[in-house]
Amino acid sequence: MAFDGLSGKLSEVFKKLRGMGKLTEKDVAEAMRHVRLALLEADVSFKIVKEFVNNVSAKAVGEEVMKSLTPGQHVIKLVNEELVALMGGTNAKLTFSSKPPTVYMLAGLQGAGKTTTGGKIAGQLRKQGKKPLLVACDIYRPAAVKQLQVVGAGYGVPVFEQGTDKNPVDIAKAGLAHAEHMGNDVVIIDTAGRLHIDDELMNELINIKAAVRPQEILLVVDAMTGQDAVNVAESFSEKVGIDGVIVTKLDSDTRGGAVLSVRKITGKPIKYVGMGEKMDELEPFYPDRMANRILGMGDVLTLIEKAQSVIDEEEAVLLEKKLRKNEFDLEDFLSQIQQLKKMGPLKNILGMIPGMNQMNIGDVDVNDKSMGGIEAIIRSMTPKERRDPDILNASRKRRIAAGSGRTVQEINQLLKNFDNMKKMMKQFTDGPKFGKGKKGKFNLPF
């Protein structure tokens, strides 16, 4: 995931600061040198890094910090505040026109993810009670119209298209008229991209903008392109004018510098970040939450929101009762795996838990394929075996191994980890006793 490298490096810097008593200006300068290198390696522009470090350094050598009982933590707080300010300070929501339909126009280079992003936004707005319409104005990329139709169908959102023979400006105007006739209160226009920025692309966008007068022009940039994403944002902002930015593919193994740079460069807020393929993995962007993730402080609010969107409340109450009575079995565990998978990649979820990146993640198998293996094992058991794993003898395990395509050793490991997990979860429900046990390897049952 993006920022893993940056988070690791910053954690090392702050670990040293926390261990110090009083800080000298030399200590702060050394820490800021490492912060500067970490940000540059994350592909944040040199100009922004220089300003960032200067701002933190100026505050960190102040009298208030030097006399603080926990100067290290005070410096970390300053870094956090500066990161939040750099990324915009507060969450910027989509705005709506006072007279519907509200028109959003998506722009960006080819391959940035405009089409799928447009579908995700439309799907989310539909869940909120809106009646969105997707308009296919990309007449150049092969199968672009068909892709938008497939995406729209997946989210239950209608798509307006007129093939690839008409001018995109005329299609946009016809789409808006169609929305007004059909009672759609939101119109999302999917425009064409190019492999590079050129005058033809910009002029077409300017003409569409003049024709439909969008409420917001949202620029979609690919986090994997690094500093190029910031250069693209700057060009679109100057030539077309944008109202917000959407950064996609932050779930990939990318350095993430675009998120830290684009707000400062364009002066426009980041409205969404793409953290995966699913609709709910296009997340509203909260600068404070992202800063916490970067600094290894977790993102509990987003974790709670994701959990609330997938967890059945009645089932949660029943599960708590089972845990208190120590009746949690493998059928319950299978149900929890299925709900957990709905929340997104396991590694992303673990990253939202405060302090998780400071643990030895290597001790935790965060490969989502492993959960599929666990499902296969449990599904190969009989209902009786799931409810009472103690009856699993050697012959039963061989049968389950053959049915699931796993090994007996893997089944034994699952049962051992499941038993340890039950004990740990029992400690959670018992309250104050949790956390008083022995320290050891962090085990997940998969």
Side-chain angles (χ1 to χ4, degrees), residues 94-108:
L94 291 178
T95 61
F96 292 89
S97 172
S98 57
K99 182 182 178 181
T102 298
V103 179
Y104 301 118
M105 178 175 150
L106 301 183

Side-chain angles (χ1 to χ4, degrees), residues 246-260:
I246 300 172
V247 183
T248 62
K249 305 176 188 176
L250 265 182
D251 56 317
S252 61
D253 186 16
T254 180
R255 288 173 287 183
V259 173
L260 296 177

Side-chain angles (χ1 to χ4, degrees), residues 81-94:
E81 290 172 350
E82 196 65 28
L83 277 175
V84 173
L86 180 62
M87 292 186 286
T90 58
N91 169 246
K93 293 181 171 63
L94 291 178

Side-chain angles (χ1 to χ4, degrees), residues 169-200:
V169 178
D170 294 332
I171 296 173
K173 289 193 290 187
L176 180 56
H178 178 80
E180 292 172 343
H181 177 70
M182 299 301 293
N184 297 99
D185 52 9
V186 173
V187 175
I188 299 175
I189 299 176
D190 182 30
T191 67
R194 301 287 191 278
L195 294 175
H196 60 280
I197 299 172
D198 57 23
D199 291 337
E200 183 183 355

Side-chain angles (χ1 to χ4, degrees), residues 399-434:
R399 189 204 77 243
I400 294 168
S404 62
R406 318 301 288 191
T407 66
V408 171
Q409 288 78 11
E410 287 176 295
I411 295 170
N412 288 333
Q413 187 63 49
L414 165 63
L415 295 174
K416 178 182 177 182
N417 286 348
F418 177 71
D419 187 55
N420 289 337
M421 187 196 71
K422 281 181 64 176
K423 293 176 182 176
M424 184 179 72
M425 294 175 78
K426 185 68 166 60
Q427 286 181 309
F428 268 116
T429 60
D430 287 345
K433 290 190 291 183
F434 178 72

Side-chain angles (χ1 to χ4, degrees), residues 332-361:
D332 298 316
F333 180 53
L334 179 61
S335 174
Q336 295 308 302
I337 285 181
Q338 292 167 341
Q339 294 200 47
L340 184 64
K341 286 170 67 177
K342 294 178 185 177
M343 293 174 62
L346 180 59
K347 189 172 184 180
N348 290 357
I349 296 170
L350 291 176
M352 296 179 194
I353 301 173
M356 195 67 189
N357 74 321
Q358 296 168 19
M359 297 176 60
N360 185 3
I361 296 293

Side-chain angles (χ1 to χ4, degrees), residues 385 388-400 408 411-412 415:
E385 289 168 342
D388 185 11
D390 290 338
I391 67 173
L392 291 174
N393 55 27
S395 63
R396 287 176 183 265
K397 290 177 183 178
R398 285 195 295 270
R399 189 204 77 243
I400 294 168
V408 171
I411 295 170
N412 288 333
L415 295 174

